[in-house]
C-alpha cells in the first residue's frame, strides 16, 4: 500500500514539473506546422531523414517511426525538401495554412545508379542495392542523434547468424559480449564490466532475471527477430538514464509499419557438438486501418536448438600456508552438458493517431527461455583421494513480460509532450523435482574412494602442473591423466556410492513500474529546451544459496544404517552421445563417462519414501538457508533539463544535467553466534542505501560538411551496486568442490565516472563510414568481486564478497570503416569491407593486506571484464540477388576475479577469444530469399586461467559449431 502511495506521489511530482510549460501553452494557437511521415519505396519508415523548406531557415529530422514536425516561418506556397542517404532527394510544393498541416506519407525512392559519363562527380554515385539501403537507416540515425551512438537496423541484424539480442550487438564498434556455453548472453560497451552497461528496451532499463543479483539483463531471453533497431550510446545525453558508465544499449522493439506487411521465415540446422538438429521460425505482421489512424504490429519467433559443451575445470589449494603449494591442484572436474534450449518471443503493438498532433501507443511482450541441460560431472579429488560423480537435471526457466502505454502530443506550435507508463516483470525459477515440496536444482552426488593413491606427484606429495611443480613433475592440462597408482582403479558404477542429495533453490523475481514525462519547447528554430522526469518502483525477491541437503546415515557413521547405494543399483540410461568426450584435449577420457540415473530415477530419489527407505537424513543448514533469501525495494526519481542550441549551420551545442535519487531497502536475515556454548541465532537484517547522483553533461558537434563531423562530449555517469553484492545475508553452495560462500556487503558505494569523448565521422556517398576517436574515464569507488580460499573447521571454502576500490583511469581509442569497393571493375565492385577496432587501457590499484589488515603491497591491474583489444572484421559481397558475409569477432583477455589477499598471481583471467561466422542469402524473387548461417567456424573454446600462465587452467570449455539453412518470404 505504501509503495502504491509513493508511486502516485512521484507521478504527481512529474506532472508538477511540467506546470510552467503547460501554462506557457495556454492561449497559444497553432501556427504553420508541417507534419508528415517519410517512408522508403521498398523498406518502410525512414528514421533520421532531413526535412527542410527551400530558401528558409526551417529544418527537422524524422523520428524512428519516420514522423517529423517542421515549423514554417511563412504561409502560402513553400517547397519541401527530403534528403536521405542512398535515396533521391525529393523536392515538392505544398500550400501552407494557419495551424497544423498534415501532409501524410511522403515516399522517396532509392537513388538510381548512373554511369560515370552521366555525372560530374563520381562520389555522387550511390549504389541502389537493398542491403546497402538498410545500412543507410542506421547511419542516418547515428548522424542526426545528439548522443555519440552506433546503430543497427533490423534488416542488418538478419544478415548475420545472430539469434538473440546479445549476439546482435557483438558486431558493433567497441562492444564485447560474454559467452555462456557458446551463446552470447551479456554485452558491454568499451570493454567495461558488464554491469556498467545499461541494457534498455524502448528507453527503459528492464528488470533483471539474473539470479546472482546483478543488474545486468541477461539478453539471451529475447530473440533478435523482435528488434527493430539497436542503439549503442557511448556518451549519453541528459534525457537518457544516467546509470551507464560504459554506455547504454537500447533495443527498440518493432512498431506498426507504414503499410501492410506480412513476412515469415523458417530454418533448420545442425549442432556439431550435440550432433542434433535445430530449428527456428518467425512471423511479422503489420498493417494500418481507419485511414492510417490505427497501426498494428504482431511478431513472434521461436528458436529451438540442441546443444552441448564439454568443460575441463581445475581448482587449486590457494588456502595452503606454503606459497608453492598454493598452486597445487585440489580437484579436476571433467564435465559434459547435452541439452535443449528453447527461446519463444511474442511482441505486439498498437498506435492510434487521433490527428496530426496527438498519438497514443501500446506495446506488450512475452519472452520465455527454457534451458534444459542435464549435467554430468566427473571429479578427481586429490586432497581426499577419491572420485566423485555428480548428475543434475537442470531445467532453468526465464520469463520476461510486460506492457507499456504512452502518448505523443503537440500542445502548441512550440510545445510538445510525451509520456509513458510501463509495467515489466522478469522471473527465473526451477520447477523440479516434482516429488519434493522444495523446488530447485536436483543434484545427486556419488563418491568412490581411491585406495592406491597417485603417482606423478611432486616432491612435496602434491599434484601440480609441471611448470608449477618444485621438481617439474606434472605435465600440462591438455595431456591430463589422473595418474592413479593402480591403473585399474578407475571410476566404476559398482563403486560410486550415493553420498549426498541436494536441491539448490534458485529463484528470482523482479518487477519494475515506471512513469515518464517529457516536455519539449522550441524557443525558436535554433534553440530547443527539454525537461522531463521519470519514476521507477522496483520490487525484488531473490533466493540464492538455499540448499536442501540429504546425507545417508551410513555416510555419517550411524550404526545399523541401510547400506549406501551404488550407481549401478539405480535405474540408469545411456550416457548422452555427441562428439567424443573432451576431444579438445589429447587423451582418452571415456573412463570418466558414467551411465547416469534416468530423469525419473533422479526425481524419485527425493521422494519421502526413498529418503526414508535408504536412511537419508536432512542436514540442511538453517543458518545458510535463512540468510540466502532476501526481498528488496528500490525507488528512483530522476529529472533532467537540457538545451539544444544550433549556434550556426555547422555547430550544435547540447548541454544540461540529470539528477537521480535512489532509495534502496533490502530485507533479509543474518546469523550471529551468541551464548556459551555458542549457538546460532537468526535475526532480521535490513540494508538501507540512499544516495543522489547529479550528472552534468555537455555535447558539441561541428559539421565540416554534410559528410564530415567532429563530436566532443563531457558526461558524468554512475552505476548502482548490484543487489546480490549488498544482500544482508550470505549463501553457501556445497554442491561444488571446494564449497563456495558468497557474502553481501551492505556498505558498498555506487561507482561514479567523469567521461570525455572525442569522435570524428566521415560518411561515404556510397553508404559507408570512416570513424575514429579517443575516450577517457575517471572512475571512483569501483566495485569488484574479491575471491579468497579459507579453511573453516577443516573444510576449504571459496569466499566471494564485493568491495569498493579506489579511483581508476580508463583511456582508449577506436576506429572503424565500412567501405563498399564499387570503384573496382566488373564482378569485384560487389565486394566490401567492414572493420572496427577498439583499444582500451585501464589501471586499478588493489591494496593487498595481511591477516591483520596491514598494507603489504599495492597491486595494479585492469578493470574486471575489460579487454585491452577488441575488433570485428567483415568481408562481404553484395549484388542485387546475392549477399555473402564472412565475419570475425575478437575479444582480448580480461581479468574476471581479483584475489585481494593473495595478489595478481591468483587473479582469474579469461583468455582471448576469436570466432568466425558466415552467412549468405540468395533472392529467388523479390519476395523469397534463401539463406544459410554458420556460427563458430573456428571451433573456438572458452578458457579461464589463474595468474600469469595460460596453462594454469581453471576452466576450458568446448562447444563446437552450429549452422542452419532456411527461407524468408515477404508475402506482402
Amino acid at each position: 500500500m505504501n509503495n502504491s502511495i509513493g508511486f502516485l506521489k512521484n507521478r504527481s511530482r512529474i506532472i508538477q514539473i511540467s506546470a510552467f510549460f503547460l501554462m506557457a501553452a495556454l492561449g497559444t494557437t497553432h501556427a504553420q506546422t508541417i507534419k508528415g511521415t517519410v517512408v522508403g519505396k521498398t523498406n518502410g519508415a525512414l528514421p533520421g531523414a532531413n526535412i527542410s523548406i527551400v530558401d528558409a531557415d526551417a529544418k527537422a529530422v524524422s523520428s524512428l517511426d519516420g514522423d517529423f514536425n517542421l515549423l514554417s516561418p511563412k504561409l502560402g506556397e513553400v517547397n519541401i525538401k527530403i534528403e536521405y542517404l542512398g535515396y533521391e532527394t525529393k523536392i515538392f510544393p505544398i500550400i501552407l495554412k494557419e495551424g497544423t498541416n498534415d501532409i501524410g506519407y511522403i515516399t522517396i525512392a532509392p537513388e538510381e545508379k548512373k554511369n560515370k559519363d552521366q555525372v560530374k562527380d563520381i562520389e555522387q554515385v550511390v549504389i541502389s542495392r537493398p542491403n546497402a539501403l538498410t545500412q543507410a537507416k542506421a547511419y542516418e540515425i547515428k548522424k542526426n542523434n545528439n548522443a555519440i551512438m552506433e546503430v543497427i537496423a533490423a534488416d542488418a541484424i538478419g544478415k548475420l547468424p545472430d539469434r538473440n539480442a546479445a549476439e546482435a550487438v557483438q558486431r558493433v564498434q567497441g562492444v564485447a559480449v560474454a559467452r555462456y556455453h557458446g551463446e552470447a548472453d551479456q554485452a558491454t560497451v568499451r570493454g567495461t564490466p558488464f554491469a556498467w552497461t545499461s541494457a534498455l528496451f524502448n528507453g527503459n532499463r528492464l528488470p533483471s532475471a539474473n539470479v546472482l543479483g546483478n543488474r545486468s539483463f541477461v539478453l539471451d531471453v529475447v530473440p533478435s527477430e523482435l528488434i527493430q533497431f539497436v542503439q549503442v550510446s557511448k556518451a549519453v545525453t541528459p534525457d537518457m538514464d544516467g546509470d551507464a558508465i560504459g554506455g547504454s544499449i537500447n533495443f527498440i522493439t518493432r512498431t506498426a509499419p507504414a503499410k501492410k506487411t506480412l513476412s515469415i521465415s523458417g530454418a533448420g540446422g545442425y549442432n556439431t557438438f550435440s550432433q542434433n538438429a535445430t530449428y527456428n521460425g518467425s512471423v511479422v505482421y503489420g498493417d494500418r486501418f481507419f485511414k492510417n489512424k490505427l497501426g498494428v504490429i504482431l511478431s513472434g519467433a521461436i528458436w529451438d536448438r540442441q546443444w552441448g559443451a564439454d568443460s575441463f575445470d581445475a581448482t587449486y589449494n590457494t588456502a595452503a600456508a606454503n606459497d608453492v603449494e598454493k598452486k597445487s591442484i585440489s580437484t579436476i572436474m571433467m564435465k559434459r552438458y547435452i541439452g535443449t534450449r528453447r527461446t519463444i518471443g511474442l511482441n505486439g503493438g498498437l498506435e492510434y493517431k487521433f490527428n496530426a498532433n496527438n498519438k497514443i501507443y501500446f506495446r506488450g511482450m512475452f519472452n520465455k527461455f527454457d534451458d534444459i541441460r542435464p549435467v554430468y560431472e566427473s571429479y578427481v579429488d586429490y586432497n581426499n583421494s577419491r572420485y566423485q560423480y555428480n548428475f543434475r537435471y537442470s531445467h532453468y526457466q526465464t520469463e520476461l513480460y510486460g506492457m507499456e502505454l504512452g502518448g505523443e502530443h503537440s500542445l502548441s506550435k512550440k510545445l510538445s509532450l510525451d509520456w509513458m507508463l510501463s509495467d515489466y516483470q522478469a522471473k527465473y525459477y526451477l520447477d523440479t523435482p516434482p516429488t519434493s515440496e522444495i523446488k530447485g536444482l536436483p543434484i545427486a552426488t556419488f563418491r568412490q574412494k581411491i585406495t592406491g593413491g597417485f603417482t606423478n606427484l611432486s616432491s612435496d606429495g602434491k599434484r601440480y602442473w609441471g611448470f608449477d611443480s618444485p621438481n617439474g613433475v606434472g605435465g600440462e592440462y591438455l595431456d591430463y591423466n589422473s595418474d592413479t597408482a593402480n591403473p585399474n582403479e578407475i571410476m566404476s558404477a559398482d563403486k560410486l556410492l550415493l553420498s549426498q542429495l541436494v536441491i539448490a533453490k534458485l529463484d528470482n523475481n523482479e518487477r519494475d513500474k515506471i512513469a515518464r514525462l517529457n516536455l519539449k519547447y522550441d524557443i525558436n528554430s535554433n534553440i530547443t529546451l527539454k525537461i522531463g522526469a521519470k519514476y521507477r518502483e522496483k520490487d525484488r525477491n531473490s533466493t540464492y544459496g538455499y540448499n536442501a541437503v540429504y546425507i545417508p546415515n551410513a555416510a555419517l557413521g550411524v550404526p545399523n544404517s541401510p547400506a549406501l547405494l551404488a550407481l549401478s543399483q539405480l535405474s540408469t540410461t545411456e550416457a548422452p552421445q555427441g562428439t567424443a568426450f573432451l576431444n579438445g584435449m589429447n587423451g582418452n577420457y571415456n573412463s570418466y563417462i558414467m551411465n547416469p540415473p534416468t530423469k525419473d530415477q533422479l526425481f524419485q530419489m527425493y521422494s519421502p519414501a526413498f529418503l526414508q527407505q535408504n536412511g537419508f537424513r536432512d542436514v540442511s543448514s538453517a543458518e545458510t538457508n535463512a540468510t540466502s533469501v532476501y526481498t528488496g525495494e528500490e525507488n528512483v526519481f530522476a529529472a533532467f533539463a537540457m538545451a539544444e542550441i544550433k549556434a550556426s549551420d555547422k555547430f550544435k551545442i547540447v548541454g544540461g544535467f540529470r539528477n537521480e535519487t535512489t532509495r534502496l531497502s533490502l530485507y533479509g536475515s543474518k546469523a550471529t553466534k551468541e551464548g556459551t556454548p555458542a549457538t546460532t541465532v537468526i535475526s532480521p537484517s535490513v540494508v538501507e542505501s540512499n544516495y543522489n547522483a547529479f550528472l552534468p553533461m555537455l555535447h558539441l558537434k561541428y559539421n565540416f560538411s554534410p559528410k564530415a563531423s567532429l563530436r566532443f562530449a563531457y558526461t558524468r555517469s554512475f552505476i548502482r551496486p548490484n543487489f546480490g553484492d549488498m544482500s544482508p545475508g550470505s549463501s553457501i553452495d556445497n554442491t561444488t568442490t571446494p564449497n563456495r560462500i558468497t557474502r553481501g556487503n551492505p556498505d558498498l558505494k555506487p561507482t561514479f565516472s567523469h567521461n570525455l569523448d572525442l569522435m570524428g565521422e566521415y560518411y561515404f556517398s556510397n553508404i559507408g563510414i570512416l570513424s575514429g576517436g579517443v575516450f577517457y574515464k575517471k572512475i571512483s569507488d569501483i566495485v569488484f568481486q574479491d575471491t579468497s580460499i579459507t579453511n573453516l573447521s577443516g573444510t576449504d571454502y571459496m569466499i566471494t564478497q564485493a568491495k569498493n576500490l579506489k579511483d581508476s583511469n580508463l583511456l582508449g581509442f577506436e576506429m572503424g570503416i565500412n567501405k563498399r569497393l564499387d570503384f573496382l571493375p566488373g564482378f569485384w565492385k560487389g565486394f566490401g569491407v567492414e572493420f572496427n577496432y577498439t583499444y582500451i587501457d585501464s589501471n586499478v590499484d588493489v591494496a593487498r593486506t595481511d591477516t591483520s589488515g596491514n598494507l603489504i603491497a599495492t597491486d595494479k591491474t585492469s578493470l574486471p571484464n575489460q579487454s585491452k583489444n577488441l575488433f570485428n572484421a567483415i568481408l562481404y559481397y553484395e549484388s542485387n540477388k546475392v549477399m555473402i558475409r564472412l565475419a570475425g569477432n575478437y575479444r582480448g583477455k580480461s581479468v574476471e576475479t581479483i584475489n585481494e589477499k593473495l595478489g595478481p598471481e591468483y587473479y582469474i583471467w579469461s583468455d582471448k577469444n576469436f570466432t568466425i561466422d558466415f552467412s549468405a542469402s540468395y533472392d529467388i524473387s523479390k519476395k523469397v530469399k534463401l539463406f544459410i548461417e554458420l556460427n563458430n567456424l573456428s571451433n573456438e573454446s572458452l578458457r579461464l586461467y589463474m595468474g600469469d600462465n595460460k596453462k594454469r587452467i581453471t576452466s576450458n570449455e568446448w562447444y563446437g559449431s552450429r549452422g542452419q539453412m532456411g527461407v524468408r518470404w515477404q508475402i506482402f
Side-chain angles (χ1 to χ4, degrees), residues 643-854:
E644 299 179 25
I645 303 171
K646 298 176 185 176
S648 70
D649 287 341
K650 294 186 175 182
F651 186 44
K652 186 177 183 180
I653 303 170
V654 177
F657 67 88
R658 186 178 186 89
N659 194 84
E660 299 200 17
T661 301
T662 304
R663 299 286 182 266
L664 171 67
S665 298
L666 297 178
Y667 305 95
S669 300
K670 63 180 179 180
T672 56
K673 300 291 186 180
E674 297 181 6
T676 305
T679 58
T680 301
V681 176
I682 307 296
S683 58
S685 178
V686 180
V687 173
E688 298 280 356
S689 182
N690 303 322
Y691 49 90
N692 189 74
F694 180 73
L695 311 172
M697 304 180 192
L698 175 66
H699 290 253
L700 306 176
K701 181 183 178 183
Y702 186 82
N703 293 318
F704 295 97
S705 71
K707 298 179 182 179
S709 64
L710 183 67
R711 295 175 181 262
F712 168 81
Y714 162 74
T715 59
R716 187 171 191 248
S717 53
F718 77 113
I719 287 295
R720 300 178 175 91
N722 291 325
F723 296 104
D725 293 342
M726 298 186 70
S727 65
S730 62
S731 63
I732 184 170
D733 182 359
N734 56 9
T735 65
T736 61
T737 302
N739 295 167
R740 298 174 185 268
I741 295 177
T742 303
R743 292 174 176 165
N745 183 354
D747 298 323
L748 282 181
K749 301 175 183 178
T751 303
F752 282 87
S753 177
H754 295 276
N755 315 297
L756 296 174
D757 292 82
L758 182 67
M759 289 290 295
E761 302 164 356
Y762 180 83
Y763 294 87
F764 299 116
S765 296
N766 63 349
I767 311 179
I769 188 173
L770 175 67
S771 65
V774 296
F775 50 90
Y776 173 79
K777 298 179 185 293
K778 178 70 173 178
I779 310 163
S780 60
D781 293 318
I782 296 168
V783 177
F784 79 105
Q785 297 296 322
D786 181 41
T787 302
S788 59
I789 296 287
T790 300
N791 191 282
L792 302 175
S793 302
T795 302
D796 286 344
Y797 291 88
M798 181 178 290
I799 298 178
T800 301
Q801 185 178 41
K803 297 180 180 179
N804 283 113
L805 290 173
K806 296 181 180 179
D807 293 355
S808 171
N809 298 289
L810 183 149
L811 177 65
F813 73 86
E814 61 183 65
M815 58 81 63
I817 185 172
N818 183 358
K819 178 66 174 174
R820 287 171 169 80
L821 308 181
D822 57 343
F823 54 85
L824 296 174
F827 164 79
W828 300 102
K829 69 178 62 176
F831 281 95
V833 292
E834 186 172 347
F835 179 84
N836 60 70
Y837 170 76
T838 303
Y839 173 85
I840 309 161
D841 185 32
S842 64
N843 292 290
V844 180
D845 291 337
V846 182
R848 196 185 336 157
T849 59
D850 58 21
T851 54
S852 301
N854 300 314

Side-chain angles (χ1 to χ4, degrees), residues 380-622:
V380 180
D381 186 340
Y382 288 96
N383 289 349
N384 295 294
S385 295
R386 67 189 182 195
Y387 292 120
Q388 179 172 310
Y389 178 73
N390 287 356
F391 173 66
R392 47 191 166 107
Y393 182 80
S394 314
H395 183 178
Y396 304 103
Q397 301 183 64
T398 305
E399 294 180 358
L400 170 66
Y401 54 88
M403 61 188 69
E404 58 190 61
L405 177 68
E408 300 172 7
H409 310 277
S410 294
L411 304 178
S412 74
K413 71 171 184 177
K414 294 186 174 183
L415 182 64
S416 60
L417 173 151
D418 68 83
W419 59 275
M420 186 275 300
L421 299 172
S422 72
D423 188 347
Y424 282 98
Q425 191 162 1
K427 291 182 178 181
Y428 178 93
Y429 61 96
L430 296 98
D431 261 344
T432 53
T435 53
S436 172
E437 292 184 2
I438 299 174
K439 304 300 181 185
L441 175 62
I443 309 169
T445 297
F446 301 82
R447 294 188 177 115
Q448 173 186 339
K449 193 66 179 176
I450 298 176
T451 59
F454 301 94
T455 61
N456 204 24
L457 302 178
S458 184
S459 55
D460 60 3
K462 300 289 185 180
R463 179 71 160 91
Y464 294 85
W465 303 125
F467 51 84
D468 283 329
S469 172
N471 60 347
V473 174
E476 297 181 3
Y477 83 94
L478 288 175
D479 299 308
Y480 172 74
N481 189 304
S482 64
D483 294 317
T484 53
N486 180 356
N488 295 320
E489 196 170 12
I490 61 175
M491 291 184 73
S492 167
D494 295 328
K495 297 178 181 179
L496 283 166
L497 304 178
L498 181 59
S499 304
Q500 179 178 270
L501 293 170
V502 172
I503 300 175
K505 189 174 177 61
L506 303 171
D507 290 311
N508 185 61
N509 189 332
E510 192 169 293
R511 183 178 182 181
D512 282 1
K513 291 178 284 186
I514 298 175
R516 184 182 72 201
L517 177 67
N518 297 322
L519 288 157
K520 186 174 73 170
Y521 187 77
D522 297 313
I523 294 178
N524 53 45
S525 59
N526 295 318
I527 302 176
T528 298
L529 298 179
K530 190 175 182 181
I531 66 168
K534 177 188 284 190
Y535 176 73
R536 186 187 69 205
E537 179 181 286
K538 180 187 292 290
D539 293 308
R540 180 180 178 84
N541 296 276
S542 182
T543 301
Y544 179 73
Y546 184 109
N547 294 319
V549 183
Y550 307 94
I551 295 180
N553 286 324
L556 298 172
V558 178
N560 303 317
S561 300
L564 297 177
L565 290 172
L567 175 59
S568 60
Q569 293 177 268
L570 302 172
S571 297
T572 59
T573 186
E574 290 291 326
Q577 300 300 309
T579 189
F581 186 44
L582 291 174
N583 71 346
M585 299 177 64
N586 298 328
N588 185 323
Y589 302 96
N590 290 337
S591 63
Y592 298 101
I593 299 175
M594 297 290 109
N595 287 341
T598 64
K599 181 176 71 171
D600 290 340
Q601 172 70 86
L602 177 68
F603 292 164
Q604 187 60 33
M605 289 154 64
Y606 292 90
S607 67
F610 182 94
L611 295 173
Q612 181 179 3
Q613 180 181 349
N614 292 282
F616 277 82
R617 176 181 298 186
D618 186 345
V619 296
S620 305
S621 169

Side-chain angles (χ1 to χ4, degrees), residues 45-93:
L46 297 180
N50 292 288
I51 304 97
S52 62
I53 298 176
V54 178
D55 299 327
D57 185 16
K59 297 180 181 179
V61 176
S62 62
S63 68
L64 293 177
D65 297 326
D67 298 337
F68 67 88
N69 182 14
L70 180 64
L71 297 178
S72 173
K74 56 184 179 180
L75 295 171
E77 182 172 326
V78 298
N79 289 310
I80 304 297
K81 182 164 69 171
I82 310 291
E83 298 173 287
Y84 206 80
L85 183 63
Y87 287 77
E88 294 179 344
T89 297
K90 184 169 186 174
I91 300 176
F92 59 95

Side-chain angles (χ1 to χ4, degrees), residues 161 163 266-281 302-307 931-935 961-967:
R163 288 290 154 201
Y270 185 76
N271 185 293
T272 62
F273 188 99
S274 66
Q275 299 180 353
N276 282 315
T278 68
Y279 72 87
N280 74 77
I302 182 171
W303 180 24
D304 189 291
R305 62 273 193 203
Q306 304 294 314
W307 69 282
F931 64 88
I932 181 172
E933 302 171 343
L934 304 174
N935 279 90
S961 307
R962 68 175 188 264
Q964 64 174 3
M965 294 182 64
V967 60

